[in-house]
Amino acid sequence: MKSKAWYKKQLKRKPITITRYVVQSAFLLFLLYVGVQFYRFYMHFETLGETTFVERPSAVEGFLPISALVALKVWINSGEFDQIHPAGLVLFTFFVGAGIIFRKSFCSWFCPVGTVSEWTARLGKKIFKRNFEVPTWLAWLLSPIKYLLLLFFLSMVIQMSTYSAKAFLELDYNKVSDVKMLQFFLTIGGTGLTVIAVIFILSLFFKNFWCRFLCPYGALIGLGSIFRITKIRRNEETCTNCEMCTKVCPQRLKVHKVEAVNSLNCTACMSCVEACPVKDTLNMTVVNKKVNKWFIPVAFLVMFILVVGIAKLTGHWDTIISYEEWKQLIPDANYVGH
């Protein structure tokens, strides 16, 4: 077991990285709590009132990106804010919009799949004493997959008329989409388990395999990096080419080889900046101005809290679906189709 002095030393050496691990763990625990509460909410109606009623946690809507994408289209085109899954629209809009300034901070600080993926890679490193590298040629072939998935979803929503999008939001299918998601995992079959097992095994060998090659949500958030408002710059004159920055990068970016990290895959985790042994060799910049290494994560967390707080205060967080309507919808959710 590690000594107290060892932990203090690690905290002194890697304060942002350890803070990120704490935030990731706390957010994952919070989402597990949300999942349990949502299950209890669901069971109250599924058992026709035999179990205790628990308020539906609105945060569960964060797992409904397709519904939120349709709602965003309606909001942009008509000015009507979705009242069925408002929290989903708030979270989706914030995370995607925040990508312009904060890059893919959501992926490295909040995303539960990203957190589990990182933990899986650490487990793989303990088992195999290393994480393996995807061959360059294979990485080039795999990299477009998440963008093709993203293009599929975007084109599907873009082709919808505003009228059709509004109609979709009012469908019983959309109203119980969170319930149907829960039912899927409660009754998951062989195909679903096989897909999860394959991704888990790949993540043991290749760090953040899902995030790097398959996640369309992360791909959408990453598009904000195109504007290059924020980036990590490397001072080539003071760089010793120790490659520590590249070794710690969760996305396996070759940080030690570039003047500035402009990759759409950069998650602003700040691991590379913190790992660099030479002061002011790696720095986060905003509009080409150097900022403190804590600026991006702290600003992202503060903005997230403010946005959620404002949404709650202004009535843009809780659904308008009533208890009586849930009472009708949930028992029949299995029979509701798109």
Side-chain angles (χ1 to χ4, degrees), residues 1 53 69 134 175 193 216 257 260 267 275 284 286:
M1 187 174 176
F53 173 71
L69 184 59
V134 177
K175 290 179 179 179
L193 288 173
K257 290 185 176 182
T267 61
M284 172 59 77
V286 179

Side-chain angles (χ1 to χ4, degrees), residues 53-110:
F53 173 71
V54 173
E55 287 288 345
R56 173 181 174 273
S58 297
V60 74
E61 295 173 11
F63 293 94
L64 306 174
I66 303 301
S67 175
L69 184 59
V70 176
L72 180 60
K73 176 189 179 76
V74 172
W75 188 26
I76 291 173
N77 289 349
S78 71
E80 296 178 21
F81 199 92
D82 181 27
Q83 294 183 304
I84 303 299
H85 297 307
L89 177 54
V90 169
L91 293 171
F92 181 82
T93 305
F94 172 72
F95 291 140
V96 173
I100 297 173
I101 297 176
F102 303 111
R103 306 182 74 88
K104 292 170 65 176
S105 291
F106 165 76
C107 301
S108 60
W109 288 82
F110 283 179

Side-chain angles (χ1 to χ4, degrees), residues 171-195:
L171 287 175
D172 286 350
Y173 176 85
N174 179 57
K175 290 179 179 179
V176 296
S177 53
D178 48 2
V179 173
K180 294 187 75 67
M181 176 184 63
L182 174 63
Q183 290 176 334
F184 169 78
F185 284 106
L186 290 176
T187 60
I188 191 168
T191 302
L193 288 173
T194 299
V195 170

Side-chain angles (χ1 to χ4, degrees), residues 163-220:
Y163 176 82
S164 298
K166 286 182 182 180
F168 171 82
L169 295 179
E170 294 293 335
L171 287 175
D172 286 350
Y173 176 85
N174 179 57
K175 290 179 179 179
V176 296
S177 53
D178 48 2
V179 173
K180 294 187 75 67
M181 176 184 63
L182 174 63
Q183 290 176 334
F184 169 78
F185 284 106
L186 290 176
T187 60
I188 191 168
T191 302
L193 288 173
T194 299
V195 170
I196 292 173
V198 168
I199 293 173
F200 175 78
I201 292 169
L202 287 171
S203 298
L204 281 174
F205 289 95
F206 308 108
K207 196 169 186 178
N208 284 21
F209 188 87
W210 166 263
C211 308
R212 293 165 60 195
F213 302 117
L214 301 175
C215 180
Y217 197 176
L220 179 58

Side-chain angles (χ1 to χ4, degrees), residues 104-167:
K104 292 170 65 176
S105 291
F106 165 76
C107 301
S108 60
W109 288 82
F110 283 179
C111 180
V113 179
T115 298
V116 173
S117 185
E118 280 196 49
W119 290 358
T120 304
R122 281 182 230 155
L123 175 62
K125 192 172 183 179
K126 285 190 175 182
I127 296 172
F128 307 113
K129 307 303 179 186
R130 57 176 288 202
N131 290 130
F132 297 85
E133 293 292 336
V134 177
T136 303
W137 65 270
L138 184 56
W140 275 100
L141 289 176
L142 293 174
S143 293
I145 294 177
K146 62 184 178 184
Y147 294 106
L148 291 173
L149 290 171
L150 174 61
L151 182 61
F152 169 76
F153 292 119
L154 286 178
S155 61
M156 181 175 65
V157 174
I158 290 172
Q159 288 174 17
M160 295 175 71
S161 66
T162 303
Y163 176 82
S164 298
K166 286 182 182 180

